[in-house]
Amino acid sequence: MSDSYYERLVDEDALAAYLTDHLGEVDEYDIERHQEGHSNETLFVTWGDRELVIRRPPPGETADTAHDVLREYRVTNAVADTDVPVPTPLLACENHDVIGSDFYVMEQLEGTVLREAEPERFADPDHRERVGEELVDTLAEIHDLDYEAIGLGEFGRPEGYTQRQVDRWGKQLSWAFEVTEDEREVPDLHEVGGWLRDNVPEDHPHTLVHGDYKLDNVMFGPGTPPELVGVFDWEMATLGDPRADLGWMLSYWRDAKDPDPELPELVTRFMEREGYPTRRELVDRWESRTGYEFEHERFYRALAVYKLAGLGEMFFRRYLEGNSDDPMYPKMRDRVPALAARAKRIIEGDEPL
């Protein structure tokens, strides 16, 4: 990470003054940037004997509705007293004089995010099965929440959510294309977007949705058997269609029969091993836990890959404009067309559930 980019992320003295005002003086203060994220920026802060996490948007221009960390704080705060496990939220700040953007502060959890490798303590079929079950059961818990009762009745407009998702990601892509189409075009994405617009389900259940629910946005505790102890990255949460959440989670989950991933930087493969549930088994469990059916599954799975392509194209624009030093972003030149081709395979029935 370049020093200049880090300086755009945080003013250490101003942040120290803010934390002192709200949490009291300490002798030990240290900041480390978490390198694994590819959207909002995450900073680990040692504040005396407390380990904290700060979430803020990336510097530079971003598309509308993306990177809303105060929204993330609100929903995390609302679900903190439910059965859905989240880190304890502490502070939210709208004053850009502190670090140059909105941000919020939460307690750091102890455990493992299953991102690049399977933990040795989970490497047997029973534990592998439990990882998948914990993942999908927690998603079902989110979808079963009484969002009115926890103060989120005005958190979104669930009617028409799925149509708005198609429209919104079309707009996100248009924003990215303003810059990226000078480099190369992705005609398959226009075709996929048209199919999605023509095939939006007419109705859907209304629940709280996470918006970015997947294996590496949750944490498992340090022991065994696997226990999911935290759900992160709620920036896209709203009231909407739970089947969109399920489709998104499945777009990252690997079956042993799958071709090589289009986004190897973001997709791990260890769940192809013996013991991990298949996508079909995850769907069956979600249906039994929620009472909903995963109708229109090709639509929701194609929508998820379309959104992945949209994210990738936004990353590519930010790279071209010099607003990120993430080494993954320039690879989107080829990754996004590959994702568009995958979405077409799903639509055409060539990549079944």
Side-chain angles (χ1 to χ4, degrees):
M1 175 179 58
S2 65
D3 291 341
S4 61
Y5 187 77
Y6 178 77
E7 288 166 2
R8 294 171 69 192
L9 285 180
V10 61
D11 179 327
E12 293 188 0
D13 292 338
L15 179 61
Y18 173 85
L19 293 176
T20 298
D21 286 345
H22 289 85
L23 301 178
E25 292 188 4
V26 295
D27 294 328
E28 185 179 3
Y29 171 48
D30 185 57
I31 305 176
E32 177 186 352
R33 181 190 175 208
H34 179 54
Q35 296 278 10
E36 295 293 347
H38 297 289
S39 184
N40 279 327
E41 292 284 356
T42 301
L43 302 169
F44 293 139
V45 177
T46 298
W47 187 252
D49 59 0
R50 302 176 78 168
E51 297 297 330
L52 309 176
V53 178
I54 288 179
R55 294 271 287 168
R56 61 149 293 162
E61 181 185 0
T62 57
D64 291 341
T65 75
H67 314 293
D68 189 345
V69 294
L70 295 187
R71 183 178 185 82
E72 187 174 10
Y73 173 83
R74 179 184 171 192
V75 67
T76 304
N77 202 42
V79 304
D81 292 328
T82 73
D83 289 337
V84 177
V86 291
T88 301
L90 298 174
L91 303 165
C93 180
E94 298 179 80
N95 182 357
H96 290 199
D97 291 339
V98 181
I99 64 171
S101 71
D102 297 341
F103 69 94
Y104 77 94
V105 185
M106 58 185 167
E107 298 276 6
Q108 186 172 327
L109 289 175
E110 180 183 359
T112 304
V113 175
L114 308 191
R115 181 171 283 113
E116 294 176 357
E118 175 186 70
E120 198 170 314
R121 67 184 186 277
F122 293 172
D124 73 64
D126 288 343
H127 290 337
R128 289 169 175 169
E129 182 179 29
R130 190 64 202 144
V131 166
E133 291 173 348
E134 285 276 292
L135 182 69
V136 78
D137 288 356
T138 302
L139 183 62
E141 290 277 5
I142 293 170
H143 295 157
D144 282 343
L145 284 175
D146 183 342
Y147 55 78
E148 297 270 2
I150 61 174
L152 295 177
E154 305 301 318
F155 194 58
R157 293 177 294 124
E159 299 85 0
Y161 168 87
T162 313
Q163 179 68 61
R164 291 195 304 275
Q165 282 282 291
V166 174
D167 295 343
R168 173 177 297 169
W169 284 95
K171 291 175 182 175
Q172 307 280 46
L173 275 165
S174 294
W175 176 83
F177 286 155
E178 290 172 5
V179 173
T180 62
E181 284 196 332
D182 290 339
E183 295 287 317
R184 57 96 180 91
E185 296 185 355
V186 192
D188 281 351
L189 273 184
H190 297 287
E191 188 176 332
V192 170
W195 184 89
L196 292 170
R197 286 189 292 274
D198 291 341
N199 288 274
V200 178
E202 292 184 5
D203 55 27
H204 60 77
H206 296 173
T207 73
L208 178 65
V209 294
H210 180 278
D212 192 16
Y213 191 85
K214 54 195 174 83
L215 185 61
D216 67 352
N217 273 342
V218 304
M219 176 176 280
F220 287 84
T224 56
E227 178 190 8
L228 200 158
V229 297
V231 180
F232 305 127
D233 291 8
W234 292 83
E235 67 187 86
M236 303 301 292
T238 190
L239 305 183
D241 183 347
R243 294 177 298 201
D245 259 355
L246 181 61
W248 182 254
M249 184 191 81
L250 295 172
S251 73
Y252 285 89
W253 190 267
R254 302 279 303 170
D255 283 0
K257 66 181 186 299
D258 290 343
D260 290 342
E262 293 76 21
L263 275 180
E265 297 84 6
L266 294 182
V267 176
T268 54
R269 304 187 64 165
F270 57 78
M271 72 281 293
E272 298 174 26
R273 297 171 186 165
E274 179 188 359
Y276 285 103
T278 63
R279 283 190 295 268
R280 169 53 66 187
E281 288 169 337
L282 294 176
V283 168
D284 290 346
R285 191 174 178 95
W286 179 85
E287 289 180 334
S288 69
R289 290 300 175 108
T290 62
Y292 302 129
E293 291 185 21
F294 192 37
E295 299 173 319
H296 312 288
E297 61 91 4
R298 281 191 304 154
F299 171 87
Y300 288 105
R301 293 170 56 230
L303 175 61
V305 179
Y306 182 70
K307 289 161 61 175
L308 269 174
L311 279 173
E313 202 68 359
M314 290 161 68
F315 293 163
F316 192 41
R317 171 172 174 160
R318 283 179 21 212
Y319 158 72
L320 292 172
E321 293 184 317
N323 282 324
S324 175
D325 67 346
D326 190 317
M328 185 186 73
Y329 284 19
K331 297 177 182 177
M332 294 302 110
R333 181 188 307 273
D334 301 315
R335 302 290 195 254
V336 170
L339 285 167
R342 179 185 176 195
K344 286 187 66 175
R345 290 198 305 273
I346 292 171
I347 288 168
E348 293 164 3
D350 294 331
E351 190 172 310
L353 182 60

